[in-house]
Amino acid sequence: MPNVAVYDIAHNQVGDIDLNEDVFGVEVNGPLLHQAVVMQLASQRLGTHSTKTRAMVRGGGKKPWKQKGTGHARSGSRRSPVWVGGGITFGPHPRSYAFSMPKKQRRLAIKCALSDKVQSGDFLVLDAIDFDAPKTKNVVKMLKDFGVDSKALIITAEAKENVEKSARNIQGVKAINTTGLNVIDILHHDKLFITKDAIARIEEVLA
């Protein structure tokens, strides 16, 4: 069972915590993580690209010239795909790129991402985090106290507006709650700050 230290926001150790091995100690499955990332990115694609077929292009009602005797190849419409200004053959049309994974696989992917952070030592547990007002300098000071100068993800159990607003003006830093926990955010950020109550919430759902 993984055991990690618990800190306050000033980087003073205030205890430790045992993590559920079924959530934070699973074997990392690379192909599964890749599939989860592709699924999430695919669902974000707009898919609004569109082209007109020959049926959608204006005009083309009259046959350009008679069928025989002109020396030209036969043609029935000026909107033919072989004509300039004609329709597009097999062009893209609005569509959704989204696909789904089984719920067990989606949950296992999140477990793998969290376990990877624990195993690499980039998993930092906070006793609690909250601010009286949304001020960027609060998060800047916390990162400085922890010696973190890279991309960081802050995870809380519930939405904390002051924390989220304090973090959003810092490049590479993001604050979310457990409801929005996802594989891309976990893997994209180098350091993961998570509160004790967020850990309890995650273990309650995923264990």
Side-chain angles (χ1 to χ4, degrees):
M1 181 176 293
N3 181 277
V4 295
V6 179
Y7 302 93
D8 60 17
I9 60 175
H11 198 199
N12 298 313
Q13 185 172 348
V14 295
D16 55 23
I17 184 173
D18 290 325
L19 303 176
N20 191 319
E21 193 168 3
D22 293 334
V23 178
F24 298 96
V26 302
E27 183 180 355
V28 178
N29 187 330
L32 180 64
L33 285 175
H34 176 266
Q35 185 177 359
V37 169
V38 172
M39 180 195 71
Q40 191 172 338
L41 291 176
S43 66
Q44 295 173 3
R45 295 184 66 176
L46 295 179
T48 54
H49 41 32
S50 182
T51 55
K52 291 184 178 181
T53 65
R54 63 184 299 164
M56 300 173 184
V57 179
R58 183 180 178 185
K62 180 183 177 182
K63 187 174 175 66
W65 48 73
K66 64 181 183 178
Q67 182 81 346
K68 293 178 177 294
T70 64
H72 296 293
R74 58 192 175 186
S75 181
S77 172
R78 297 181 182 274
R79 303 299 85 172
S80 169
V82 300
W83 282 54
V84 174
I88 302 297
T89 306
F90 304 128
H93 297 285
R95 54 164 290 192
S96 170
Y97 287 89
F99 66 93
S100 62
M101 293 170 56
K103 181 185 289 186
K104 287 185 177 180
Q105 287 190 356
R106 295 199 305 269
R107 290 188 171 186
L108 180 58
I110 292 179
K111 292 179 185 179
C112 288
L114 292 171
S115 298
D116 179 63
K117 291 299 181 186
V118 174
Q119 294 169 15
S120 64
D122 297 321
F123 190 87
L124 302 170
V125 181
L126 300 175
D127 183 40
I129 180 172
D130 204 357
F131 305 125
D132 297 331
K135 292 184 178 179
T136 303
K137 66 180 182 181
N138 291 332
V139 176
V140 171
K141 183 179 184 304
M142 183 187 77
L143 296 176
K144 184 178 180 180
D145 290 340
F146 277 87
V148 175
D149 57 359
S150 56
K151 292 178 289 188
L153 179 67
I154 303 171
I155 302 175
T156 57
E158 299 176 349
K160 293 184 180 292
E161 185 177 3
N162 288 343
V163 176
E164 293 176 3
K165 287 185 175 181
S166 298
R168 69 184 181 185
N169 284 336
I170 307 174
Q171 186 175 5
V173 179
K174 184 177 182 180
I176 62 174
N177 59 76
T178 53
T179 304
L181 191 64
N182 63 89
V183 172
I184 287 184
D185 278 340
I186 296 173
L187 297 180
H188 177 70
H189 295 86
D190 300 321
K191 296 290 183 179
L192 193 153
F193 291 88
I194 185 169
T195 59
K196 288 175 61 177
D197 51 354
I199 291 176
R201 182 74 60 85
I202 292 171
E203 291 179 344
E204 180 182 351
V205 175
L206 299 181

